[in-house]
Amino acid sequence: MRAKTPFSFEVYPPRKPEMQDALHDTIQKLASVGPEYITVTYGANGSSRDSSLECVSYIRQNTAIDPLAHLTCVGSTREEAEALVRQFYGAGIRSFLALRGDAPEGAEATEDFLGELKTAADLVALIRSVSPYARIAVAAFPNGHPDSQRENQDIEALLAKQAAGADFAITQLFFTASDYIDFVARARAAGVTIPLTPGIMPVTNANRLARIVEITGLETPRELTDALTSATTKEEQRAIGIAHAVDLANAVLDAGAPGIHLYAFNEHETVLEVLRHVGVIE
Ligand code: FAD
């Protein structure tokens, strides 16, 4: 058993109002197993501002679990970014994942799209100034950020976020345990001291895997892709995705990971099954 292993989940706000009840039900199921926090994503360029706020507020008011709000600063003035932080702070939110965010589709990653806060580190500093005791997470990229132009750039970005006041990082998903383990070793050698929580995504069908690879710019994991593609039933695909996530979680925990963060896709069964197999919950 790994009963004392901290774990957490990510959900996204409902894409349509009629999906809200189902999401609330999922949140209740996720909350019932005692995660350290549940994170709620923030749509690119503020597109989900209201629904993200509604979702973190729901978690705060209806569960015993700390909601952790993703926020992005891309394309904002400093004043707008501060108003956003204050809006969430005013709703009682004290835990944040500070992100730069991406350029709108088709736009180049130039100064123009960035706005006044150029990096997530600037947003960390802004959140710290509004809420000195906030819990602030940042993103980390075991396989490098797609915008990264040289090998050490992601570690430099992480050091900048740490220096700005980040408490810990959650990683982008990865498909091989050594990607995370090697990244942690490089980060530690460069002076990163904050906990680096591995983000693990159970991928239970081939189409979703292809979409994830497209969005993240990660290399296609051949073995997992082949296994999912050759499975003949949905149940078989699901079992493959769960087994892969369980192996990944066991390997990174054995290597000293401080906990695991699971991308839940607004469904509870799969991530809870992963946690049960890893021995984190009964
Ligand atoms: P930054 O940390 O600012 O940096 C991006 C890259 O720029 C760095 O990796 C590095 O290559 C370079 N860089 C930045 N600062 C420096 C520096 N000081 N020195 C050298 N190089 C530097 N996006 C959303 O829109 N909404 C979400 O809810 C969301 N949730 C996410 C959750 C997780 C766990 C992760 C891993 C990503 C998430 N993203 C989300 C995606 C994220 O917004 C994008 O990856 C975005 O392109 C970069 O954001 P960032 O916070 O990593 O940016």
Side-chain angles (χ1 to χ4, degrees):
M1 272 301 276
R2 298 183 191 267
K4 293 211 165 88
T5 303
F7 60 92
S8 52
F9 302 111
E10 175 188 293
V11 299
Y12 52 84
R15 302 221 163 103
K16 296 180 190 148
E18 57 271 28
M19 292 172 165
Q20 193 176 61
D21 288 351
L23 176 61
H24 289 175
D25 184 52
T26 298
I27 288 170
Q28 289 299 339
K29 302 255 173 38
L30 295 174
S32 72
V33 296
E36 207 187 337
Y37 51 84
I38 297 177
T39 80
V40 179
T41 64
Y42 187 77
N45 304 295
S47 56
S48 74
R49 181 178 177 142
D50 293 344
S51 53
S52 292
L53 182 57
E54 189 287 329
C55 191
V56 283
S57 300
Y58 175 84
I59 296 169
R60 196 178 87 77
Q61 288 160 13
N62 298 281
T63 76
I65 307 304
D66 188 27
L68 189 151
H70 297 207
L71 292 182
T72 68
C73 56
V74 70
S76 320
T77 62
R78 177 167 293 277
E79 210 180 344
E80 286 163 346
E82 182 167 340
L84 175 68
V85 175
R86 288 198 184 282
Q87 186 182 14
F88 277 67
Y89 184 79
I93 305 306
R94 299 292 181 268
S95 298
F96 299 91
L97 174 54
L99 299 148
R100 185 197 70 186
D102 286 311
E105 196 100 359
E108 286 282 312
T110 60
E111 297 277 299
D112 294 347
F113 93 87
L114 285 175
E116 282 179 12
L117 281 69
K118 307 290 182 213
T119 69
D122 294 337
L123 183 58
V124 172
L126 176 64
I127 296 172
R128 266 281 163 260
S129 71
V130 171
S131 176
Y133 302 108
R135 159 150 75 166
I136 307 180
V138 290
F141 298 84
N143 289 296
H145 186 277
D147 293 353
S148 211
Q149 276 148 25
R150 36 171 221 284
E151 209 192 324
N152 258 349
Q153 204 171 348
D154 298 298
I155 306 269
E156 285 165 27
L158 194 50
L159 281 167
K161 293 189 254 196
Q162 174 177 286
D167 295 306
F168 68 105
I170 300 176
T171 76
Q172 178 63 288
L173 66 110
F174 52 90
F175 298 110
T176 310
S178 60
D179 293 349
Y180 169 80
I181 296 166
D182 295 349
F183 171 71
V184 173
R186 279 189 288 123
R188 296 286 176 246
V192 174
T193 53
I194 54 174
L196 303 171
T197 302
I200 292 182
M201 182 181 286
V203 188
T204 51
N205 73 67
N207 291 342
R208 182 174 281 176
L209 178 56
R211 178 80 185 118
I212 287 159
V213 164
E214 190 189 321
I215 295 172
T216 57
L218 290 170
E219 225 170 89
T220 302
R222 250 313 116 220
E223 251 182 66
L224 180 60
T225 304
D226 290 348
L228 287 171
T229 314
S230 50
T232 49
T233 63
K234 272 188 181 166
E235 290 69 28
E236 217 181 310
Q237 291 211 353
R238 187 166 178 274
I240 290 166
I242 289 173
H244 181 263
V246 169
D247 288 347
L248 213 47
N250 277 323
V252 295
L253 288 171
D254 287 345
I260 46 176
H261 182 65
L262 287 156
Y263 296 102
F265 278 112
N266 289 11
E267 295 160 9
H268 63 279
E269 287 99 346
T270 303
V271 285
L272 296 190
E273 202 166 327
V274 170
L275 289 178
R276 271 194 290 274
H277 284 297
V278 177
V280 173
I281 59 170
E282 288 196 10

